[in-house]
Structures are given as C-alpha cells and as structure tokens.
Amino acid sequence: MATTSSMFMYSLTIQPPTAITQAILGQFAGTKEQQIVTASGSRLTIHRPDPTQGKISTILSQDVFGIIRTLAAFRLAGSSKDYIIIGSDSGRITIIEYLAAQHRFSRLHLETFGKSGIRRVIPGQYLAVDPKGRACLIASVEKNKLVYVLNRNAQAELTISSPLEAHKPQTLVFALVGLDVGYENPVFAALEVDYTECDQDPTGQAFEEVEKSLVYYELDLGLNHVVRKWSDPVDRSATLLLQVPGGTDGPSGVLVCALDNITYRHSNQDAFRVAIPRRRGAAENPERKRSIVAGVMHKMRAAFFFLLQSEDGDLFKVTIDMVEDDNGQPTGEVMRLKIKYFDTVPVASSLCILKSGFLFVASENGNHHFYQFEKLGDDDNETEFSSDSFSADPTEPYTPVYFYPRGAENVNLVESIDSMSPQLDCKIANLTDEDAPQIYSLCGTGARSTFRTLKHGLEVNEIVDSELPGDPSAVWTTKITREDEYDAYIVLSFTNGTLVLSIGETVEEVTDTGFLSSAPTLAVQQLGEDALIQVHPKGIRHIRADRRVNEWPAPQHRSIVAATTNERQVAVALSSGEIVYFEMDTDGSLAEYDEKREMSGGVTCLSLGEVPEGRVRSQYLAVGCDDSTVRILSLDPDSTLENKSVQALTSAPSALSIMAMADSTSGGLTLYLHIGLYSGVYLRTVLDEVTGELSDTRTRFLGPRPAKLFKVSVKGQTAVLALSSRPWLGYSDPQSKSFTLTPLDCPTLAWGSNFSSEQCPEGMVGIENKNLRIFSIENLGNNLLQQSIPLTYTPRKFVRHPEQPYFYVIEAENNTLSQSTRLRLLNDTTVVNGDSVALPPEEFGYPKAQGHWASCIQIVDPINTKSVLQQVEFEDNEAAVSIAAVSFASQDDEIFLIVGTGKDIIVSPRSFSNAFIYVYRFLEDGKELEFIHKTKVEEPPLALLGFQGRLLAGVGNDLRIYDLGLKQLLRKCQAQVVPNLVVGLQTQGSRIIVSDVQESVVYVVYKHQENRLIPFVDDVVARWTTCSTMVDYETVAGGDKFGNIWLLRCSPKASDEADEEGSGAHLIHERQYLQGAPNRLSLLAHFFPQDIPTSVQKTSLVAGGRDILVWTGFQGTLGIMVPFVSREDVDFFQLLEQHMRTEDAPLAGRDHLIYRSYYVPVKGTIDGDLCERYALLPMDKKQMIAAELDGRSVREIERKISDMRTRVAY
C-alpha cells in the first residue's frame, strides 16, 4: 500500500468563523483609543470602534492555529499599552502585543507548563489578571493553578517569572477573577468545589451535602509564593464572579452570581444579597428562576456600576452604596447592594463598555451589536430592589421580585455586525441566472434566526442614478487646473457629439468650455498647469486657460482610433496603424515627435502610465494590436518609440492600463500593466521599470463581454475598475495586502471613470444604456454580501423546490411555548402574572416552558419578494425533524413535500411519544402548501430522500422505502442497515449512502427484482457524522461533530460486485467481517478545520471554475477543499507547508501539524490558510523559503498560492 494518499485536497477558508467566544477591551495600540480584541475559534481579531461614526472596523485578523480558550488584557503599572495574554490548547501561556506600525501581532513570551490539548488538569481554561498588572493566574478546570509574576527590566521590556504553584487536588474550579486590592499583595478569587468526600461515599449522601466555596489566593510578592488566604461557603448554584473596584475607588471584593440571586462577598465585609428580578407577562412562568450569564463592570470618575445579563437577555444595573463618614466621603464599607432593570439586548458571551459611551455585545448567536448609551438609567421610574429586603444567608427563602420588560430606553443600536453563527444548513444554487452561484444558509436561533443569501461582491453605496437624453458610449471626469482638489466636469461622449456637465451643488450642462461638441470624444485630460485636452476622431483640441484653442488635425483620409493621455504626454493611434506621440513643451504647448511609428496590425488600445513624482514623462507606452499582442514602446528621448518587449495573448486586447499599485511581494509600489481582452479575460503583469520587460502574468475570467479597464481610487489606494458582463474592482486587500479582484454589487456598466467631488471625495461614475450612475465603495474588508430574511424559530433543515426559486424551511424551538398556547394565555383573563402585552420576540425571545416545542414550516422566496410566503404551524407539541421534496412515480412524477415530525421529543436522553410523516402538495407553483395526510411511524424519521420515484426514510436504525397511498404512505421495503440511528441519506442510481449518528457511513444497494436493501461496505472508525455528500459513485465526503472533515472511498472490486445483475444473493451470503458488512471503506483524506461541519456539497463557486467541496461550519465558517490536479503541485505545496510550519510557527505555541491532526492524523490535505500566510512574511524569510523550493522566485510562489484560490473561489 502506498504511504502517500492517492488524492490530495487543498483546504481554504472563504469566511472565518463569526461566533465570538470572548471579547476584551484595552488600549492595545498604545494610543488613547480603545480597541476590542475577540476570539472566534482559532482566530484572534482586533477591531477599532469609531465613536464619531458609531461603527466598528476590523484592523487585523490572524489564525493562531490553536483553540483560543481564554483571553485577558493587562498593562504594567505606569504604561499606556495593553498586552494580550492567551490561554489556549497548546499547554503554554502566550503573551502578545499588537504592533500598530507594522500591523501585526508580535509574540513576547511563550512559557510551557503542561501537555497540549484541552484536558481537565492542564491550565488554560481560566485566566485572571491583577488589575495593577503585576501578576496573572492561569488555571485548569481541576486541581492546577499557576501564578506568573509580570514585570519590566532595565530596557523597559516585559519580563515573566517562573510559575508559582497554587495546586489543590480533587478541586473543581467554576470561575476565577483577579481582585482589585490597590497596591497590596495581588489576590485572586475562585469558586471551587472539593469533591474528595463525594469520591469516597458510595451512597451519594456526600454529593447532596457538598459545598461550593469562594476562595482567595494571595500572591506574597515579598516571599514570592502563593497562599490560600480565605475560604467561605457560597450558594451552591453560583457560576460567575465579577471584580468590584478596590483601593481608592471602592470596597474591593466580588459579586457572586448564582441562580436567582447575586451576593456581594469580601473577606473583611458582611455579605449582601439581592434577588434577580423575574419577568412579568401573561405567557411567563412566575416560578422560573433566572441566572446571570454575562456581566461587565464600568468605572467612572467617582462611581462604578455593573451591567449583568440574565439568560433572557435582560440587562440589570447593579450598584453598591457605601457608608459615608462625617464629611460625606465614602469609607469603603458597604451599606447595601441595589439592582434594577436596565434594558434588553441579545444574550452575550461578552459585554464591553467603552469609555466613549458605547456598549459592545458579542452575541452568543446571531449578529453582534454595537450600542450607544443614551443615559445610564438613573432617572427612570424602574423599581429598584435593595439588599435591605433580603437576608444574606443563602439558605433563607425570600419573596421573588418582578419587573416589566420594555423597549430599549438607555441604549440605542448604532451598528449590527453580521454573524452567521450558528449556521445550521446551507445550499449553493444559482437562482438568479448570474455567472456565479449564490450561497443560501440558515443561521441563528429563536426569533433572531435568519435565512441568509450570500453573494460574492463588494457593497456599493449609490449616490446618483439619473437618466440621460441619449445612449452615451463613454464618460470622463476632469479637473480644470492641476491644483484643483475636486473634478469640475463630467464629459459624456455620444456617437454624434459630446456633452459636458459641470459638477457643483447640482449637475448641469455647460457649453462654453472650449470642447468640440459636434464629434464624439476618445479621451479627455487636464494637461500641464491649467490646460485641457480633448481627443476626437479628427484631431486633438488643446484648450488653454484663456480659452484659446490649438487644434492638431489628423492626417488626410485617416482618423484617430485610440488615444491615451497623462498630464504631460499624449499618444494617438491612427486608422492606418501608425502611432503619433506628443509631449508637452516648457511653454505648455504640445510638441509632436518627428517620426510616426508604424505597427504591424491595427491598434485596438493604448496606455500611458502616470508621470512619476519628480519626472517629466512616463517611460513606457503600451500598445495593443489586433494580432493579439501587446508591445511596450520606450518614450526615452534617446530611444523614442523603440520596441522594448512584446507579449502574446490568447485574443485581441480591448483595454490597457499602466499603473503603479501596492505590491505585497516588494512591500512598496510596483508598476503593473493591466490588460483586458475581447474574450472577457483580465491579465495583470508586472512591468519592469528599468528594462520594460513583462513578467509574472496573472489571469482571471471576468465574463463573456470584452473587458474595459479604468484607474480609480478607493479608500486612499489606487485600484482598477474592470468592466465586463459585470463590474469588478481590483485592489490590494486591507488584511493580507495581496491583490484581490471582486465583483461590485451593482448593474452592468459600459464605461467608468474616477469621480471626486465635495460630497463624495472618492467615488466612481459609470454609464449603462441611458443611465448615469455615481457610486462609492465604503468597505473593502468584506467581500461576501449578505441579505437576511427573518425566520420564526430556530431553523433545522431546508430543501429547495426542484423547479421554482423557493426554499422550504423546517423550524423547531425546544422548551418554548407554541403559538397557540401563547395566544391562549394572552387571551386568558384569569392569568395572574401581569398584564397581557405581547413583546416583540426578535428582541425579547419567546416565553420559555419546560418540555414544550414550537415548530413550523416556512416557505421562503429569497429572489423576488425576499420574504416568507407561508407559515404552517405544528400543533400538539410536535416538532419537525426532517424534510424532503419527493416526486412519486405512482402520481405521474408529481412532486410532494414530505416532513418528518416527533411528538413530545426529549433531546437527551432520547425519548418521544409519537412520530409521523406528513405529506403536502405544492399549490400555485410552490407558493403554498396543502396538507394531504400523515402516517404514523415508530420513531421520528431523521432522514428523508426521494429514491427512484418513491420515498426513502431513515426511521430509527431502519431504512425504509415508502410509496404514496390515498390515506397514508405505504411501506414497500425495510432493512436494518446501521447499528444506532440513521441521520443522513445520499443516493446515486441504486446505491444509497446511509449516515449513522456515531458509526460513520454504510453503503447500501437496492435490488429491485428481489425488493431488498443490502449493506455491502462500512467503515473502520466510529465517526459521529453530521453531514455527508457523494463526491463520485464510490467516494463520500463528510464531517463529524468533533470538527473533522474526511473523504472515504469504497474499493472498485466491492463496488462492481454490488452492482452486478441479479438478485444480490451473493451479497447476502457473503461472510460478514467483524459483525459488519463484508467490505471496508478506505480513508483518502482527513483534516481538522476546528469547526463542526453542518453541510458539505460538491459544486463550483465561480464562473468557469471547476468542482470543489464547499463545507459550512456551525460557528459561521465557510470553507472549501480543492482537489489537486497534478502531482508536482502537491509536492510544491507540501514542501511550502513544511517550511511555513517552521518559519511562521503558530502564534499561541501550538504545533501546526498536531493541531490539524487533533483526533486523526491529517492525511491527504494541505492547509491553504497556512500557505497563504507566506505573503505576510518578512522579505528575507520569503526569499529563504523561495530558494529552498527549487529556486523559484518569490513572485512565482505568490502567484501559485493566489491561483489556488482565485481559480475556484473568492
């Protein structure tokens, strides 16, 4: 057996995970401004909140190739810069800083303390920092705690000590926080449970009596060791600790958040307890207790407050009153604890309050929110509950307190940041007949769930869209003098004339500009200090500032067919194939070069670059000819119009543009020649500034129309606007600095130009038919456009109508009152728990109730109405679990919608009281559903699929074939094919691939004449399958719930045997192997992408791209696996990946190879995300790696890496 895989995949991330596990706040750039650092899976991202615009923008995002478990910000006393401490799965503590000047994270310290991986006794789960920046404590779930002392040396560099141990065996930690004690010895507080006695008591009595304690650990800086200073029992349900300001700001101590109550505790103060208010409302259960899931403390000049969030999303403001002395100054002794309702926001994993008056909510699911504080809730009429009315003893009962939820008054939403987490299912289809397909996915939970349409493109901000009198063929904008900041004229060329519009408060036609209005225009340019040039087919007009006009007429019987200009030079091509070159004299007039240069064929396009700083001319002229070549001519006075280099093309060039753009390879500016072809292909090649040679050509197919190119400016950088069947923008990506080509989300344009005015300093103007459009591009960071349609409950699965552009989504919400129960409670006059005001569930969620299900089917139209067309609710506590659109041969191939449901489902341990399969008929081309009948089955059918004109259903561990009867479905065939539970079905021909919940996949063949289902191949590894798809007839790709992606293949021999004609008796009587099928699947590829795959499909993503595997992850990831075509590519990337592992070791100290082999050794897969970091390496490392890779050039390596992505994806 070969040691290497026969198939290799290249793994790439198109969209990183968007679920934020933790967010921290700090001055990481060392300036006054605060930044937010977030962890999403293995990605560390730093965001810049802009208080003036109320927006958040991403500065830098980096994959650390390790699971980030916890983050903390800390700063040494007296400094103004915050460092970031990362607790990850690498068994090491990592301290990094953000270097704003170099735009990267830099690792300062990496201290090993244990094994890698996420284990019970290896620290990394909890991290707490002393507020004065003197020490940090990193702890595990059980037993181990390590304290590191942080300091600075004589060079003012950060130093870290050896770890000090504070271990206690058989102790579980629930929460950890650093106490604010001013400049006394640092103290850390932990919530702990000692389970020594529970372990030794078989009766379970000790478990009932076990106590949770609040423990203080003190680091004695003089003796340099850690002591367990104080311990006191707290409420057993306590889960969260929050630091209370100390020193001069407050009393110190902690808030202990438990079920239904919050207690203030400190070693030298009394305890104060207050209840968590419960919601009033007709549908609310008055007995349901709330707990605190997130909280944040904010210090102001002379006060501080807490915002604590319950699991409903309600924020409560908690304040502490202190005893005052005779002068009215607080003494540091606590008098009471007060709580009141503040506002309701989405349930958060982290809350951050910025000094500029904003609140950042990193939502657990759905979009993250950025709020502005309107007020701090001091003067509203909400009831405030105080600790005076509650006993501090955790065992004492008390009367619950209630509040009325209301719309937000104190905070105001200023920005919602798109997040696709959790992403539950996805389909890729081309419903709009564009050249590339769209991605349709189900995201979110509860009433905040959405149906999202993703499209590759940049968002366009349209400023003007006006109609013109005729159909223009081209458009230009121009200044009047060189010093002008903004453009003064828009020049439109028509087939029989030219129209000039002036740009001001309004745009209106002007006639006295000196432009020739009776002929079409080929080029417009502001020349020299204050002159204008207009090139038209019969000559060149040179318009001076005093309106004198010099005309250069074209030679007799010839006309100008192409022209190019810059502020000092003009070149035109005549219909005879000659090129005439002009340069500006010292007196501002145009001087023609004596000789005309004859080209071998007809000239189709020309380009001059901009005049570089401090030079008098652009060195080169690019000439495109109809013999499919581009020639570079020198414009040097010694060798004017001499040939420098030539490049052959696949078709005639339709547009050329020489421009200097930012270059990731050299780090500076490089001169590029951009070429557009009549075939719709775009090429970008490097133009050597010394020799004029062309090298490093990169190509991209834009669309079927001839490509036109225009130089524009976006976000302060030079970019290229490329127009074909749709408009594209070529720019350097703000994150990776590599050249990126992205379509614009706007209608087709025929011609474009840069546009700059007072209202819109960086815009573009374009024309199409009779329309003139002015638009700008605000955000280059996000190249996937999202459109959301709100759904009712958590979406589970969906299917597309086979012919119409509609989707059918099943949704089910656990522990939630169904719609009918809610309405009954609201209309019931005898209900005592408050008035019957129904709150909008998108903001407040649905009323919770144990054991209840709310479920429905929704028809979504994402194309025309962009809304939900119909909703079918399920009654009797039923929940939909599966859906399929099936055509039945017995009904003349009519398509029906089949939905599987379960009644009274309990998710774990699995139980239910009944299960059904519903059948619906499509009405009005699928816009409505009509119920036909339902069939009772033994277990909820978790997988349904159309199969040879009948229905295939996975019921428990049985596979069944049903046909449609008049009153119910008729069972035709059944076989037990998997050991546990069928969760997925795929089919081709007579072959069925069955996914089991924990035993991977089984291949089953259906023998028609015998009417039997026979399993013939199964797997050797227990994989907890979450999704699967057939890649070809023998191969299946899938994902499992531990976050792996794999490809399995059945041997050709077993495959051929299964498809032999006949009854399949040879398969039934074949000897079983180890209580399974006679044959086994072999593993082709295995990879750990660190997100749970929820869907995988084989499709192409770009126009003309080949088929790839696209998978979506639960946390909002979109990833692809690209098969390699040639063995030499595999060898190249394997070698590159090896070098990258050593030269760019992961930031958090995890070994990259071991990380990608978390559960199973990585096989047949190359990590494209690691290879793409090559572009971000320093130049010397790039060259060193390039020398090792068969002496290739850095550009060639970067081209290969970028081609792997651009040929198949974005």
Side-chain angles (χ1 to χ4, degrees):
M1 191 178 143
T3 51
T4 57
S5 185
S6 58
M7 178 176 185
F8 271 85
M9 306 295 278
Y10 183 77
S11 160
L12 272 179
T13 305
I14 294 178
Q15 176 178 291
T18 52
I20 294 180
T21 48
Q22 196 181 353
I24 57 171
L25 193 62
Q27 296 169 352
F28 301 108
T31 57
K32 282 269 174 69
E33 155 178 273
Q34 287 181 305
Q35 288 91 18
I36 298 170
V37 168
T38 59
S40 316
S42 64
R43 282 194 99 79
L44 194 68
T45 310
I46 183 163
H47 309 266
R48 176 177 166 262
D50 185 345
T52 53
Q53 295 185 321
K55 282 195 160 34
I56 285 193
S57 53
T58 303
I59 307 178
L60 173 64
S61 181
Q62 182 173 338
D63 200 326
V64 303
F65 300 110
I67 297 167
I68 302 173
R69 299 159 74 186
T70 177
L71 291 176
F74 87 98
R75 103 175 42 179
L76 294 166
S79 85
S80 62
K81 180 165 189 172
D82 285 326
Y83 298 100
I84 304 163
I85 308 182
I86 305 175
S88 69
D89 61 343
S90 61
R92 299 163 162 190
I93 186 168
T94 316
I95 301 184
I96 62 169
E97 68 171 323
Y98 170 62
L99 300 173
Q102 297 169 23
H103 189 64
R104 67 183 182 92
F105 290 121
S106 157
R107 189 165 71 201
L108 302 174
H109 288 289
L110 186 64
E111 296 291 321
T112 308
F113 52 68
K115 292 178 178 166
S116 61
I118 294 177
R119 305 161 191 258
R120 279 169 58 160
V121 292
I122 303 294
Q125 186 64 32
Y126 300 108
L127 186 58
V129 172
D130 171 54
K132 294 284 184 262
R134 295 168 298 173
C136 72
L137 188 150
I138 188 163
S140 58
V141 175
E142 189 181 330
K143 184 181 168 189
N144 293 338
K145 293 184 192 65
L146 297 172
V147 175
Y148 286 92
V149 180
L150 304 160
N151 214 325
R152 52 159 81 84
N153 61 13
Q155 285 77 46
E157 293 164 346
L158 177 74
T159 60
I160 187 166
S161 71
S162 304
L164 304 170
E165 296 183 350
H167 301 339
K168 186 160 189 290
Q170 296 187 315
T171 303
L172 298 175
V173 180
F174 287 83
L176 184 72
V177 71
L179 244 64
D180 189 347
V181 290
Y183 282 104
E184 292 172 20
N185 279 334
V187 177
F188 298 96
L191 276 180
E192 297 184 350
V193 166
D194 187 332
Y195 67 79
T196 318
E197 289 166 13
C198 307
D199 258 6
Q200 289 150 10
D201 174 25
T203 63
Q205 183 67 31
F207 173 70
E208 296 302 326
E209 293 167 2
V210 76
E211 279 187 338
K212 193 173 280 186
S213 348
L214 174 66
V215 184
Y216 278 9
Y217 290 92
E218 182 179 18
L219 163 66
D220 191 321
L221 289 168
L223 298 171
N224 207 25
H225 74 142
V226 185
V227 289
R228 197 180 161 101
K229 184 183 174 188
W230 176 75
S231 168
D232 209 31
V234 292
D235 191 323
R236 188 171 166 180
S237 61
T239 51
L240 187 68
L241 291 179
L242 284 144
Q243 160 195 331
V244 177
T248 55
D249 304 321
S252 188
V254 290
L255 286 187
V256 181
C257 303
L259 185 65
D260 209 36
N261 67 72
I262 298 159
T263 316
Y264 168 79
R265 298 299 304 261
H266 193 33
S267 55
N268 59 4
Q269 303 252 17
D270 295 336
F272 294 91
R273 182 169 75 143
V274 66
I276 299 172
R278 304 177 189 177
R279 276 188 187 182
R280 279 227 188 274
E284 291 289 347
N285 174 9
E287 299 304 310
R288 186 162 78 85
K289 298 178 176 181
R290 312 295 202 273
S291 56
I292 298 295
V293 294
V296 61
M297 180 267 294
H298 186 62
K299 268 197 279 203
M300 294 171 298
R301 275 210 175 83
F304 62 88
F305 66 89
F306 296 86
L307 284 185
L308 304 182
Q309 188 180 41
S310 72
E311 73 259 47
D312 294 331
D314 299 324
L315 286 177
F316 298 103
K317 182 179 176 182
V318 175
T319 49
I320 292 175
D321 283 355
M322 285 186 276
V323 180
E324 293 181 351
D325 61 15
D326 304 339
N327 306 331
Q329 294 297 316
T331 58
E333 192 183 330
V334 177
M335 190 159 70
R336 69 175 65 87
L337 189 64
K338 295 192 300 197
I339 184 167
K340 69 174 182 181
Y341 174 60
F342 188 74
D343 264 334
T344 301
V345 300
V347 179
S349 57
S350 287
L351 296 165
C352 298
I353 297 179
L354 280 72
K355 283 183 182 149
S356 49
F358 287 88
L359 170 70
F360 177 64
V361 177
S363 308
E364 272 191 359
N365 32 55
N367 290 358
H368 308 300
H369 283 185
F370 194 47
Y371 293 93
Q372 184 165 17
F373 283 102
E374 298 291 323
K375 55 187 203 297
L376 290 175
D378 297 326
D379 47 1
D380 54 12
N381 49 12
E382 286 292 333
T383 325
E384 191 162 50
F385 304 104
S386 147
S387 57
D388 298 347
S389 41
F390 301 96
S391 153
D393 179 8
T395 56
E396 290 262 325
Y398 53 84
T399 320
V401 292
Y402 295 93
F403 72 95
Y404 285 103
R406 52 158 170 77
E409 286 178 3
N410 299 312
V411 292
N412 168 31
L413 182 65
V414 287
E415 194 186 10
S416 177
I417 300 136
D418 279 331
S419 165
M420 294 181 56
S421 157
Q423 185 170 225
L424 295 143
D425 201 358
C426 174
K427 302 256 186 286
I428 295 172
N430 191 356
L431 301 184
T432 51
D433 287 333
E434 291 175 14
D435 48 8
Q438 306 84 45
I439 300 170
Y440 300 94
S441 74
L442 302 179
C443 306
T445 59
R448 293 184 69 227
S449 51
T450 50
F451 180 99
R452 298 203 184 197
T453 306
L454 272 79
K455 204 167 101 185
H456 182 217
L458 288 171
E459 195 170 357
V460 166
N461 177 15
E462 201 158 283
I463 298 160
V464 176
D465 186 356
S466 61
E467 208 163 301
L468 296 166
D471 278 11
S473 57
V475 61
W476 291 271
T477 55
T478 180
K479 308 171 177 181
I480 295 181
T481 69
R482 183 188 290 182
E483 266 61 59
D484 288 359
E485 197 179 339
Y486 301 120
D487 293 327
Y489 295 144
I490 297 177
V491 182
L492 292 157
S493 169
F494 297 87
T495 44
N496 54 0
T498 295
L499 177 72
V500 182
L501 306 172
S502 78
I503 305 168
E505 288 299 311
T506 58
V507 173
E508 54 214 14
E509 187 179 344
V510 282
T511 49
D512 58 344
T513 54
F515 281 98
L516 182 68
S517 59
S518 58
T521 301
L522 295 173
V524 172
Q525 173 73 41
Q526 188 273 319
L527 191 80
E529 290 302 321
D530 51 10
L532 292 171
I533 285 276
Q534 177 194 16
V535 182
H536 54 90
K538 288 290 163 213
I540 301 174
R541 272 176 94 86
H542 183 190
I543 306 156
R544 295 296 188 92
D546 52 10
R547 296 291 149 101
R548 283 182 305 154
V549 174
N550 295 345
E551 183 92 33
W552 177 88
Q556 270 188 330
H557 311 305
R558 282 173 278 185
S559 59
I560 298 176
V561 291
T564 176
T565 59
N566 64 28
E567 60 227 43
R568 298 185 59 88
Q569 299 158 286
V570 178
V572 296
L574 304 177
S575 49
S576 57
E578 291 168 307
I579 285 175
V580 190
Y581 170 60
F582 303 84
E583 205 167 293
M584 195 173 78
D585 267 352
T586 44
D587 62 350
S589 61
L590 274 184
E592 181 185 344
Y593 178 66
D594 314 338
E595 298 169 29
K596 296 184 176 61
R597 168 76 198 264
E598 189 117 7
M599 301 307 283
S600 53
V603 177
T604 55
C605 48
L606 297 169
S607 174
L608 279 165
E610 291 286 302
V611 179
E613 279 287 313
R615 300 275 183 90
V616 290
R617 66 176 68 78
S618 167
Q619 294 231 284
Y620 300 111
L621 169 68
V623 183
C625 301
D626 56 12
D627 57 359
S628 299
T629 58
V630 168
R631 296 168 197 277
I632 301 295
L633 306 184
S634 164
L635 298 178
D636 232 23
D638 312 332
S639 57
T640 310
L641 298 185
E642 277 185 21
N643 219 351
K644 281 288 184 187
S645 64
V646 62
Q647 175 151 353
L649 306 166
T650 51
S651 97
S654 54
L656 294 173
S657 178
I658 297 177
M659 60 174 96
M661 288 179 76
D663 177 19
S664 67
T665 312
S666 66
L669 287 175
T670 301
L671 205 57
Y672 289 106
L673 171 63
H674 302 266
I675 308 171
L677 306 184
Y678 275 101
S679 56
V681 172
Y682 158 86
L683 297 94
R684 185 187 75 141
T685 107
V686 175
L687 174 58
D688 190 297
E689 296 181 36
V690 182
T691 62
E693 291 292 322
L694 295 172
S695 60
D696 184 36
T697 307
R698 301 191 186 185
T699 59
R700 182 81 183 257
F701 176 62
L702 302 182
R705 278 168 53 164
K708 297 195 184 74
L709 306 173
F710 306 94
K711 178 185 168 179
V712 292
S713 126
V714 179
K715 291 291 193 204
Q717 60 161 295
T718 307
V720 56
L721 178 68
L723 306 179
S724 174
S725 53
R726 59 200 278 201
W728 297 69
L729 187 76
Y731 57 97
S732 63
D733 182 81
Q735 293 285 326
S736 65
K737 300 285 179 270
S738 58
F739 182 75
T740 314
L741 204 61
T742 310
L744 299 181
D745 182 35
C746 67
T748 318
L749 296 174
W751 196 276
S753 176
N754 204 38
F755 177 83
S756 173
S757 74
E758 226 169 313
Q759 290 77 29
C760 167
E762 286 191 319
M764 298 169 214
V765 55
I767 50 168
E768 173 66 20
N769 299 337
K770 290 189 175 178
N771 288 358
L772 175 80
R773 289 196 174 85
I774 299 177
F775 56 90
S776 68
I777 291 160
E778 296 303 322
N779 182 6
L780 291 177
N782 180 19
N783 66 353
L784 279 175
L785 291 164
Q786 297 190 13
Q787 285 182 332
S788 300
I789 299 167
L791 301 175
T792 309
Y793 308 120
T794 302
R796 303 290 172 174
K797 293 185 177 135
F798 71 137
V799 352
R800 188 193 147 193
H801 192 291
E803 287 134 22
Q804 306 297 331
Y806 305 127
F807 287 97
Y808 303 87
V809 186
I810 51 168
E811 301 162 29
E813 197 71 40
N814 195 7
N815 293 338
T816 299
L817 291 177
S818 69
Q819 193 179 8
S820 51
T821 319
R822 280 202 306 278
L823 294 172
R824 198 181 71 238
L825 284 169
L826 286 174
N827 300 331
D828 189 350
T829 49
T830 58
V831 173
V832 285
N833 190 26
D835 52 7
S836 51
V837 180
L839 295 165
E842 308 78 72
E843 289 169 37
F844 296 92
Y846 293 108
K848 304 264 196 299
Q850 201 66 33
H852 284 256
W853 283 87
S855 182
C856 69
I857 311 171
Q858 286 191 325
I859 306 177
V860 179
D861 173 5
I863 306 301
N864 304 319
T865 64
K866 297 189 170 32
S867 65
V868 173
L869 302 177
Q870 189 194 4
Q871 178 167 338
V872 180
E873 287 272 348
F874 286 106
E875 301 295 328
D876 299 336
N877 212 25
E878 276 182 57
V881 291
S882 56
I883 186 165
V886 180
S887 71
F888 285 98
S890 58
Q891 304 287 327
D892 301 333
D893 289 334
E894 188 188 340
I895 300 165
F896 292 85
L897 189 71
I898 315 291
V899 178
T901 69
K903 186 172 184 258
D904 304 328
I905 296 176
I906 295 170
V907 181
S908 176
R910 241 183 114 248
S911 74
F912 50 89
S913 63
N914 249 331
F916 302 97
I917 300 179
Y918 284 73
V919 180
Y920 294 92
R921 175 176 265 131
F922 293 120
L923 301 178
E924 292 190 30
D925 286 341
K927 285 183 193 168
E928 280 183 27
L929 295 178
E930 176 192 32
F931 172 69
I932 295 181
H933 57 63
K934 68 178 182 179
T935 309
K936 191 172 170 184
V937 289
E938 294 78 32
E939 285 192 49
L942 295 181
L944 301 170
L945 187 68
F947 176 71
Q948 298 184 354
R950 297 194 284 188
L951 168 70
L952 197 61
V955 180
N957 57 3
D958 287 344
L959 188 61
R960 294 183 182 173
I961 296 178
Y962 284 99
D963 208 343
L964 190 64
L966 284 175
K967 295 283 177 66
Q968 65 168 33
L969 290 168
L970 310 171
R971 193 188 316 181
K972 296 293 184 188
C973 175
Q974 164 173 344
Q976 190 175 328
V977 294
V978 296
N980 305 301
L981 199 60
V982 177
V983 292
L985 295 169
Q986 304 283 331
T987 180
Q988 277 187 27
S990 294
R991 179 168 299 179
I992 304 159
I993 297 205
V994 184
S995 310
D996 181 73
V997 69
Q998 70 182 63
E999 293 289 344
S1000 193
V1001 293
V1002 179
Y1003 285 35
V1004 177
V1005 62
Y1006 176 63
K1007 293 294 181 188
H1008 197 267
Q1009 61 214 57
E1010 292 286 305
N1011 192 25
R1012 293 191 73 157
L1013 290 161
I1014 309 164
F1016 65 94
V1017 181
D1018 58 15
D1019 197 5
V1020 288
V1021 177
R1023 304 178 200 279
W1024 294 69
T1025 321
T1026 54
C1027 57
S1028 62
T1029 187
M1030 290 183 78
V1031 181
D1032 57 37
Y1033 193 56
E1034 264 111 33
T1035 316
V1036 66
D1040 65 39
K1041 75 169 192 181
F1042 296 102
N1044 300 298
I1045 284 184
W1046 29 262
L1047 271 96
L1048 302 168
R1049 182 169 284 171
C1050 153
S1051 67
K1053 179 171 171 279
S1055 177
D1056 296 344
E1057 273 178 18
D1059 289 343
E1060 277 175 19
E1061 286 295 314
S1063 64
H1066 61 292
L1067 291 174
I1068 299 163
H1069 301 305
E1070 195 162 358
R1071 208 166 117 238
Q1072 286 195 341
Y1073 179 64
L1074 299 175
Q1075 286 90 46
N1079 300 296
R1080 291 289 176 267
L1081 294 165
S1082 58
L1083 181 68
L1084 288 184
H1086 198 285
F1087 189 68
F1088 174 74
Q1090 212 260 300
D1091 196 355
I1092 302 168
T1094 52
S1095 78
V1096 57
Q1097 49 213 304
K1098 179 179 147 192
T1099 178
S1100 73
L1101 278 183
V1102 293
R1106 52 199 177 93
D1107 274 357
I1108 53 175
L1109 285 180
V1110 181
W1111 65 274
T1112 59
F1114 184 74
Q1115 299 177 326
T1117 315
L1118 280 175
I1120 58 172
M1121 304 282 268
V1122 188
F1124 279 102
V1125 180
S1126 72
R1127 185 77 218 191
E1128 64 177 317
D1129 276 356
V1130 174
D1131 295 341
F1132 168 80
F1133 277 101
Q1134 266 187 320
L1135 208 53
L1136 175 64
E1137 188 185 32
Q1138 264 171 2
H1139 285 297
M1140 288 301 296
R1141 280 178 184 148
T1142 50
E1143 294 307 319
D1144 186 43
L1147 193 65
R1150 188 86 165 101
D1151 182 294
H1152 176 268
L1153 180 64
I1154 299 175
Y1155 166 68
R1156 288 302 188 197
S1157 316
Y1158 226 104
Y1159 296 95
V1160 173
V1162 63
K1163 178 176 182 183
T1165 313
I1166 286 161
D1167 187 359
D1169 294 335
L1170 181 68
C1171 295
E1172 287 194 340
R1173 286 194 54 79
Y1174 178 79
L1176 301 171
L1177 291 178
M1179 198 59 201
D1180 53 337
K1181 282 195 177 176
K1182 282 189 192 175
Q1183 285 166 340
M1184 192 203 84
I1185 294 175
E1188 296 280 328
L1189 295 171
D1190 307 336
R1192 296 171 192 258
S1193 71
V1194 173
R1195 276 195 193 284
E1196 193 182 346
I1197 293 172
E1198 291 197 345
R1199 187 181 82 231
K1200 272 182 103 76
I1201 294 170
S1202 89
D1203 278 356
M1204 278 308 284
R1205 181 184 278 270
T1206 54
R1207 294 220 170 134
V1208 293
Y1210 323 129

